[in-house]
Amino acid sequence: MRKMGIGVVALASAALLLAGCSGTADGGSSAAPEGGGELVIWTDENRQPAIEAAAAAFEEETGTTVTLVQKNFEDMRADFISQVPTGEGPDITIGAHDWLGALVAAGVVDTIDLGDKADSIEQVAIEAMTYDGQLYALPYALEAVALVQNTDLVGEEAPATWDDAIAAATAAGAARPIVINTAGQTGDAYTMYGLQTSFGAPVFVQDDTGSYTTEVGMGGATGDAFASWLGANGSAGTGIISTTVDYDTNNELFASGEAAYTIQGPWAIEALTAGGANIKVNPIPSAGGETASPFVGVQGFYISAESSNALLAQDFLVNYIATDDAQQALYEADPRIPAWKTLAEEVSADPVIAGFIASAQNGVPQPSIPEMGSVWDLWNAAQVQIIGGADPVSTWNTMVTNLESTIG
């Protein structure tokens, strides 16, 4: 997951949370379990102050001792998987939704019942933390890429289609209509995914609950159509999409005013505007006729399957973290797109944030199933080959066949 870099506002005070995070706030349960136990919570440095404030309220009102352990975020997943079975892990950890498949497979994470609090959270975030129809975490933040446009060149109007964007950029005399990071010769299917889904070609098929199955969805006519479109815009076609564009090059071309549009995440806004470009953020336009649905990444709170204080952990999350004040504090401590609906609406006063929220609302969770680990290398390589001039349909179908064989 990638950290957002939108302007940080002052950290919410602990006093505000102490006044507002009561066990009956925001429709939560008033039937808290008996206090006197202890909760151990893993967090990173950025989010620790916001959690400390909610923990202080919880301690005061329930008599529970809350111990926060600061860890490097990059270490949490592996440490959680290795330590929970030994009894050394925490009761609660912050984590990313794409850990979920590995956590479930290892048997180290418990389900959670959010009750009516689930209605306060963006549906895509709930889906991201759902596995085989069961909710396994309290989601609180999300991220997604979106279309960023230079308003001095093409105005603020959101193009409905890829062709509309290219036409507007061409009419404006932009040297490059759009730049898209392909990570150079490595490939970046993550950034391209919104365009791919607009052809109706998801990486994996989702079932009726929103959970991902292991059925590859990129094959057939829809996958062929996307591959053909990708080839038509690569080196053998328009050349708009190029394997010479990596992350930094992408941002420099846009920041310098050479490109009218790019597809990027909120983490890149500072770089994109470094040259003084005026921007508007909009949902990704459709290239294939269907809604462009980028990957959405979600951050949340997991409960250990081995916690001896599971009821206390659930009470803390549902009644002290799933509140307006705690969500505000988390946002201000580490400003990611809120999954909490009322907060998302409030921060949408910033048009940049509003654009990323709109894009995320069109999006789908990045699959958290273990099979996703087998996808990236084959998928990225096929896209790079097609952009570079390889036969689109045969290259794509070979990738799909190899992927099905690998996960099968």
Side-chain angles (χ1 to χ4, degrees), residues 77-376:
R77 172 168 55 177
D79 289 352
F80 193 75
I81 290 173
S82 65
Q83 293 185 29
V84 165
T86 70
E88 298 298 320
D91 298 285
I92 298 170
T93 186
I94 274 189
H97 91 272
D98 57 0
W99 301 2
L100 183 52
L103 299 184
V104 172
V108 296
V109 65
D110 202 358
T111 57
I112 185 170
D113 181 5
L114 297 182
D116 59 3
K117 292 296 184 73
D119 296 334
S120 298
I121 299 170
E122 294 285 355
Q123 181 60 31
V124 68
I126 294 293
E127 290 178 1
M129 291 299 191
T130 299
Y131 194 92
D132 285 340
Q134 297 291 317
L135 183 64
Y136 280 92
L138 165 65
Y140 89 92
L142 45 84
E143 61 191 16
V145 296
L147 184 75
V148 183
Q149 57 197 70
N150 184 321
T151 58
D152 294 329
L153 291 173
V154 292
E156 295 189 0
E157 183 177 356
T161 68
W162 170 272
D163 290 342
D164 289 344
I166 302 306
T170 301
R176 292 172 178 257
I178 186 169
V179 284
I180 299 177
N181 173 34
T182 65
Q185 293 289 331
T186 301
D188 188 3
Y190 174 93
T191 298
M192 295 293 299
Y193 193 62
L195 297 168
Q196 179 176 320
T197 54
S198 77
F199 286 85
V203 57
F204 287 111
V205 175
Q206 290 174 275
D207 63 22
D208 292 340
T209 70
S211 296
Y212 282 97
T213 69
T214 58
E215 179 184 352
V216 178
M218 297 189 286
T222 56
D224 290 350
F226 170 68
S228 297
W229 174 87
L230 190 61
N233 285 280
S235 63
T238 65
I240 291 173
I241 303 174
S242 171
T243 57
T244 64
V245 178
D246 60 16
Y247 180 82
D248 290 332
T249 303
N250 179 96
N251 296 344
E252 290 166 5
L253 288 170
F254 183 90
S256 68
E258 187 169 341
Y261 298 95
T262 188
I263 295 175
Q264 263 293 11
W267 49 83
I269 291 300
E270 184 176 352
L272 295 176
T273 57
N278 295 306
I279 65 168
K280 180 73 165 57
V281 179
N282 286 308
I284 297 169
S286 175
E290 299 186 23
T291 299
S293 299
F295 279 139
V296 177
V298 177
Q299 296 273 317
F301 295 83
Y302 292 104
I303 298 175
S304 165
E306 298 299 324
S307 172
S308 59
N309 295 294
L311 290 178
L312 283 171
Q314 169 135 334
D315 180 42
F316 175 70
L317 293 182
V318 174
N319 294 313
Y320 291 80
I321 294 296
T323 68
D324 289 339
D325 291 333
Q327 294 295 310
Q328 179 77 33
L330 284 163
Y331 174 75
E332 293 177 349
D334 186 32
R336 303 167 186 258
I337 299 171
W340 194 253
K341 291 179 181 178
T342 54
L343 181 57
E345 183 177 356
E346 179 182 336
V347 301
S348 289
D350 181 331
V352 171
I353 298 175
F356 283 112
I357 291 174
S359 183
Q361 288 172 336
N362 283 346
V364 291
Q366 181 175 315
S368 60
I369 57 176
E371 289 79 6
M372 191 65 192
S374 301
V375 171
W376 293 109

Side-chain angles (χ1 to χ4, degrees), residues 37-100:
E38 180 182 10
L39 288 180
V40 176
I41 302 174
W42 283 0
T43 179
D44 58 4
E45 180 180 7
N46 290 341
R47 290 170 279 194
Q48 181 168 341
I51 300 172
E52 280 177 342
F58 189 66
E59 287 183 323
E60 179 178 323
E61 296 182 12
T62 69
T64 303
T65 300
V66 181
T67 302
L68 270 63
V69 178
Q70 185 185 121
K71 294 179 65 69
N72 292 325
F73 188 78
E74 293 76 14
D75 299 331
M76 285 186 186
R77 172 168 55 177
D79 289 352
F80 193 75
I81 290 173
S82 65
Q83 293 185 29
V84 165
T86 70
E88 298 298 320
D91 298 285
I92 298 170
T93 186
I94 274 189
H97 91 272
D98 57 0
W99 301 2
L100 183 52

